[in-house]
Amino acid sequence: MALEWLLTWNGLVMRWEAVLFLIGLVGIPLGCLFPARLLPALPNDKLLHFVAFGGMALLAGRLVQGEVRVLLALAAVFAASWLIELLQNLVPGRRFCWRDLGANAAGVLFAGASLALLPPP
């Protein structure tokens, strides 16, 4: 019963992709905009960017139908990643990084290619 409540919103059952997307929608900006001095040392920052934004793009692409909407979803995830990078300039110890943006873009492109190969949800 509790799980059914968790996955139900406004009378509609949410797919697991939507639940993960909402978690990422909150968690990724929080992690990216947290002051650097409060974060642990990260083993591979670029890999984390690739996985985070590629994962978000994959989830977003599976939540919409139609090629145009999938492309718009991928573009929206990349635009959000760019905005987060710009906002990092306002956070102590953080700054905009083109390499981070490149890793974000690579993740989004990889997700787009994966979506083309996966069966529709």
Side-chain angles (χ1 to χ4, degrees):
M1 185 67 169
L3 183 61
E4 182 180 329
W5 175 83
L6 177 68
L7 298 177
T8 303
W9 178 74
N10 217 13
L12 301 173
V13 176
M14 293 178 68
R15 297 190 346 230
W16 64 270
E17 292 102 331
V19 174
L20 290 177
F21 184 80
L22 292 174
I23 291 169
L25 198 60
V26 173
I28 292 172
L30 284 177
C32 290
L33 297 173
F34 213 69
R37 65 181 171 77
L38 301 175
L39 292 173
L42 300 174
N44 191 334
D45 178 54
K46 304 310 174 250
L47 180 61
L48 292 175
H49 279 266
F50 179 89
V51 170
F53 290 101
M56 286 296 287
L58 185 63
L59 293 168
R62 289 186 55 85
L63 289 171
V64 297
Q65 294 179 353
E67 291 178 13
V68 172
R69 287 184 179 175
V70 168
L71 290 174
L72 288 173
L74 296 176
V77 170
F78 178 70
S81 80
W82 195 322
L83 177 62
I84 289 169
E85 281 298 316
L86 289 172
L87 290 173
Q88 283 185 344
N89 285 324
L90 305 174
V91 179
R94 304 298 289 263
R95 61 179 173 74
F96 179 91
C97 178
W98 284 106
R99 289 174 300 184
D100 287 349
L101 194 61
N104 299 348
V108 170
L109 289 172
F110 182 81
S114 299
L115 286 166
L117 299 174
L118 290 173

